[in-house]
Amino acid sequence: MPGEPAKRQKREAYKSSVESEEQQAALPKKKFYRQRAHANPFSDHCLAYPKSPKDMDWASHYPAYAVQHDSAVRTEDESHDAAQVSSRRAISKPVEIADIGCGYGGLLFALAPRFPDTLMLGMEIRISVTEYVQEKVRALRTQNAATNGFQNVSCIRANTMKFLPNFFSKHQLSKIFLCFPDPHFKQRKHKARIVSYTLSSEYAYVLRPGGIVYTITDVEDLHRWMVEHLEKHPSFERIGEEEQEQDECVHIMRSETEEGKKVTRNGGQKFVACFRRVEDPPWP
Amino acid sequence: MALPYSCIEACRLSTNGADEWALIAASGTRLVVQSSSGAYTTWPPASGSAVGDTEAEGPPGKKIKLSDPSENTSNFSCLALTHDQKHIIAVTAEDKCIRVFRIDTEFQLQQLSQRCMTRRPCAIAMTSDDSTILCADKFGDVYSLPLLPGPEDEQIRSPSVEQSEAAGEKAFVPAASVLTVHSGRNRRVLEEQLKQAAKGPKKPKEGPTFKHDLLLGHVSMLTDIAYANVNGRSYIITADRDEHIRVSRGPPQAHIIEGFCYGHESFVSRLCLVGPDRLVSGGGDPDLFVWDWTNFELLGKLHLRDAVLRFLREQPDLAARVPEDANSFRIAVSGIWHVPSEANEILAACEGIPALFSFRIGISSTAEQCIVLTGNALDVTFIRQSQTGCTAVVSVDNVHVRVSTTERREAEATSRLEYFSYRPGGQWEQDAETGRAFERISQSGGHADKEASLMTSTTGSEKALGAILYGIENLRKRPDSDD
């Protein structure tokens, strides 16, 4: 395609300038990170994901929360590697909020200051978009170094439809956000939707009882689909209108996500539905 | 050409107080049954023999046509026996059908039902009460189907319901509107939808009309399923191509995930329960994994690839197949079987490897014995001769060269089945006696020739045959670049 090489060249030049000039505090420019809005969740991709939640290197994402092992272990060269690996991995508290399909991270950057003591993770399947959020996290952390701001937010590239349980252990999360997901209009693509009856079991697995799944979309049909599938699932109950509107996360989700802003600009509608994860019933 | 048996099951029937065994084997589009007393039947019944009786040795009852057999042009990919050994469930690949057969007293198969799924089933399991079939498919979903369709199925199938459904269909309203902000691509889809709507309603797709309930699903291809009952709690264990082994509760709480057995780094292709709380899994990794699966804990690994390499090096004709860098050698586990008479003995097979490897779980992580076969191992079943001993019946590839999944032999091997008996505390040894008892089903020439001619026309090319027998290595992910 003509134009491609120039675009790639510009992107590469931009990205190397970000690294070399130590513009640690400069926010990344979105135009260099755009990527088509769809990804095939069924394809293998070249994904990096931990074998299990225990193998996840969380400390590299939340360095301010890293647990430093006693440095005595690290004195000799021989034990150096092993000690570093383990000290890099552990963090003092687990991630509790996941924004699945976080896009450019609008929601995360709004939530981070409101829940300063809660770790939150954006998960995005598109590689460039993930890089953008990571760059923005780095820049915001540098800008807010004095207050230790934005240390509680990070982003990884992941296909959560396949690998969510590789990142989070049972009942680890308190909130999952599914904001403006790909509607997959075609009937035969419906299994690619981020909400389905069967996938809800995985959301229920990583959510603690009482935890909440937040959904928002501007496509009414998708809204009905998500409500239908989550309501059908015995592990979830829909949260009533009144309680929903009292939740500040709902307001942030409406106003702060990139798509949310876009829909407002276009005068479109936004459909919100929230679901509480109920306690598992006793074995029959 | 006689096609090899892709699957095999052994069932025991007690008649007049005497135990009789039968082997039920799938070969291409046919099922073949032979009992230890010599009765031999096929499904669909051979059309020639149904008219003129040319085989004198068969029992007279066997020629009765019991169902309409003319339609099956699909290859059998999977067999499962109910625990009470009264029914056998067979899956045909191309038409995605689950067929249930009753095994009658003369070892004839009577097809009771034929249910076509929308996605190709890749593994089935029975609940312990034999009431329900659990079907795992290539799309990642698990459905439950009653073994025997009940009267309510008839209702669903009645045309009046379908008619009312068709009448109730709403006029098409696109899911998106111009207000929904999305990419140009989505806008084009919307335009396309409106265009389609203008053409009038599409014919509704025929979904299955029988009772089938969605229990759970992975966003990955499922490869195997197991059902377990421990201390009154039932579980469904599912394995997928993305390294997962998931443990869910059994119906009616199959939507609850209890946990995952983490550790595989390549696809998982086979699960094997050993006793109530041990699970052995294998796939594209060099080792088999042994799990305390109710606690999601890895207990140990069994070094299967090492055993395969040792075996290849010891065979003069196969030693050349071992690559210089042994670490680059890959195995794809095609079967793991628990030996019924032994508490912790298992057999394992890899795709395209003419041997079985025995391991003793909890005792050693290296293979106890390598059973050398005349062809690539395809499937194994067990005949339990006594309380203490049993015989493994091994289906071997008589068509392809040993260690190859594509290269044809110049001359077919003479046998499609091999027999090995296990002596307690000892070794697997060739079991010629059982072999003689099942000579007819085993041989690949003679009687087999006639049925073979029927099959070549339906199974077609070499590639199709390879696809029936060898699909496991294809599960391996290839490094690709679609970012």
Side-chain angles (χ1 to χ4, degrees), chain A residues 43 46 49 162 165-166 202 266, chain B residues 181 242 244 246 262 480 482:
Chain A
S43 97
C46 291
Y49 49 87
K162 278 178 184 280
N166 289 55
E202 291 199 6
N266 289 22
Chain B
V181 271
D242 289 297
H244 294 121
R246 185 197 281 189
Y262 297 105
D480 62 357
D482 56 336

Side-chain angles (χ1 to χ4, degrees), chain B residues 345 358 360 368-371 390 420-430:
Chain B
E345 173 102 357
S358 77
R360 253 166 241 167
E368 291 288 326
Q369 195 188 339
C370 165
I371 305 169
C390 78
F420 301 90
S421 60
Y422 185 77
R423 302 283 165 246
Q427 293 274 313
W428 291 93
E429 281 160 19
Q430 202 110 35

Side-chain angles (χ1 to χ4, degrees), chain A residues 203-264:
Chain A
Y203 298 139
Y205 174 75
V206 296
L207 267 181
R208 67 188 59 154
I212 297 173
V213 174
Y214 295 83
T215 72
I216 184 167
T217 175
D218 57 326
V219 182
E220 193 176 2
D221 180 67
L222 176 66
H223 168 70
R224 279 199 299 265
W225 167 281
M226 294 196 290
V227 170
E228 180 198 327
H229 284 247
L230 278 161
E231 271 186 339
K232 190 165 65 182
H233 199 284
S235 295
F236 290 99
E237 62 179 19
R238 187 158 180 195
I239 292 174
E241 186 96 22
E242 198 179 323
E243 191 187 339
Q244 174 183 306
E245 294 310 314
Q246 278 166 8
D247 190 333
E248 67 170 322
C249 293
V250 170
H251 299 282
I252 298 171
M253 179 167 78
R254 271 208 194 96
S255 58
E256 299 293 339
T257 53
E258 312 277 329
E259 286 291 318
K261 288 176 185 165
K262 225 191 282 179
V263 176
T264 308

Side-chain angles (χ1 to χ4, degrees), chain B residues 362-477:
Chain B
I363 293 171
S364 167
S365 57
T366 54
E368 291 288 326
Q369 195 188 339
C370 165
I371 305 169
V372 181
L373 305 172
T374 58
N376 298 334
L378 295 175
D379 199 4
V380 175
T381 189
F382 298 94
I383 294 176
R384 213 168 158 180
Q385 307 279 29
S386 62
Q387 278 306 69
T388 49
C390 78
T391 296
V393 182
V394 187
S395 160
V396 294
D397 187 344
N398 57 316
V399 170
H400 292 97
V401 174
R402 297 208 312 161
V403 190
S404 172
T405 56
T406 49
E407 199 183 327
R408 284 289 184 108
R409 292 177 193 237
E410 282 172 16
E412 252 176 62
T414 51
S415 183
R416 290 185 276 180
L417 296 176
E418 292 190 56
Y419 304 83
F420 301 90
S421 60
Y422 185 77
R423 302 283 165 246
Q427 293 274 313
W428 291 93
E429 281 160 19
Q430 202 110 35
D431 182 348
E433 194 188 327
T434 312
R436 272 192 296 278
F438 289 102
E439 195 179 357
R440 184 159 176 199
I441 195 172
S442 309
Q443 64 190 280
S444 119
H447 293 287
D449 280 341
K450 192 170 59 181
E451 71 194 52
S453 61
L454 291 166
M455 288 181 287
T456 36
S457 58
T458 52
T459 47
S461 66
E462 312 258 311
K463 216 178 156 187
L465 179 61
I468 304 165
L469 301 177
Y470 303 110
I472 310 278
E473 179 58 38
N474 279 338
L475 295 170
R476 202 180 298 276
K477 293 179 188 175

Side-chain angles (χ1 to χ4, degrees), chain B residues 61-263:
Chain B
K62 71 174 181 161
K63 305 297 190 262
I64 304 160
K65 255 189 186 177
L66 295 156
S67 53
D68 184 7
S70 53
E71 288 148 65
N72 184 27
T73 54
S74 295
N75 293 296
F76 285 98
S77 60
C78 193
L79 289 180
L81 206 59
T82 54
H83 298 95
D84 65 9
Q85 317 232 329
K86 288 184 174 143
H87 296 91
I88 189 157
I89 299 101
V91 174
T92 39
E94 290 84 352
D95 63 1
K96 311 178 185 96
C97 250
I98 297 176
R99 295 160 191 266
V100 176
F101 297 90
R102 191 170 67 223
I103 306 165
D104 71 14
T105 47
E106 279 159 353
F107 293 113
Q108 301 222 39
L109 300 182
Q110 303 201 34
Q111 184 176 310
L112 302 180
S113 67
Q114 173 181 344
R115 286 168 279 186
C116 288
M117 307 297 287
T118 42
R119 308 281 170 185
R120 186 181 287 198
C122 45
I124 46 177
M126 291 304 298
T127 55
S128 39
D129 63 356
D130 279 339
S131 66
T132 308
I133 304 169
L134 304 174
C135 167
D137 70 28
K138 292 225 166 192
F139 217 48
D141 292 328
V142 175
Y143 288 93
S144 71
L145 298 85
L147 174 70
L148 306 170
E152 69 270 27
D153 266 358
E154 302 302 318
Q155 276 172 10
I156 298 171
R157 213 174 295 182
S158 71
S160 64
V161 178
E162 274 169 40
Q163 268 171 9
S164 67
E165 257 173 30
E169 207 178 322
K170 299 174 291 200
F172 175 79
V173 181
S177 74
V178 220
L179 284 178
T180 55
V181 271
H182 287 290
S183 65
R185 229 178 130 98
N186 267 352
R187 229 167 282 135
R188 280 199 296 281
V189 171
L190 176 61
E191 280 164 28
E192 199 56 42
Q193 282 185 332
L194 289 168
K195 246 188 260 172
Q196 283 292 332
K199 281 182 197 165
K202 249 199 303 189
K203 253 193 279 172
K205 237 189 192 169
E206 287 261 321
T209 52
F210 49 84
K211 179 174 161 59
H212 66 297
D213 297 321
L214 178 62
L215 297 185
L216 59 101
H218 299 213
V219 181
S220 178
M221 187 191 289
L222 288 178
T223 52
D224 205 358
I225 182 167
Y227 179 89
N229 219 320
V230 186
N231 300 329
R233 293 176 170 185
S234 65
Y235 297 87
I236 297 173
I237 311 171
T238 40
D240 75 23
R241 195 180 154 248
D242 289 297
E243 307 97 32
H244 294 121
I245 298 171
R246 185 197 281 189
V247 179
S248 307
R249 292 191 187 178
Q253 295 184 344
H255 62 277
I256 298 175
I257 300 174
E258 284 293 314
F260 293 84
C261 294
Y262 297 105

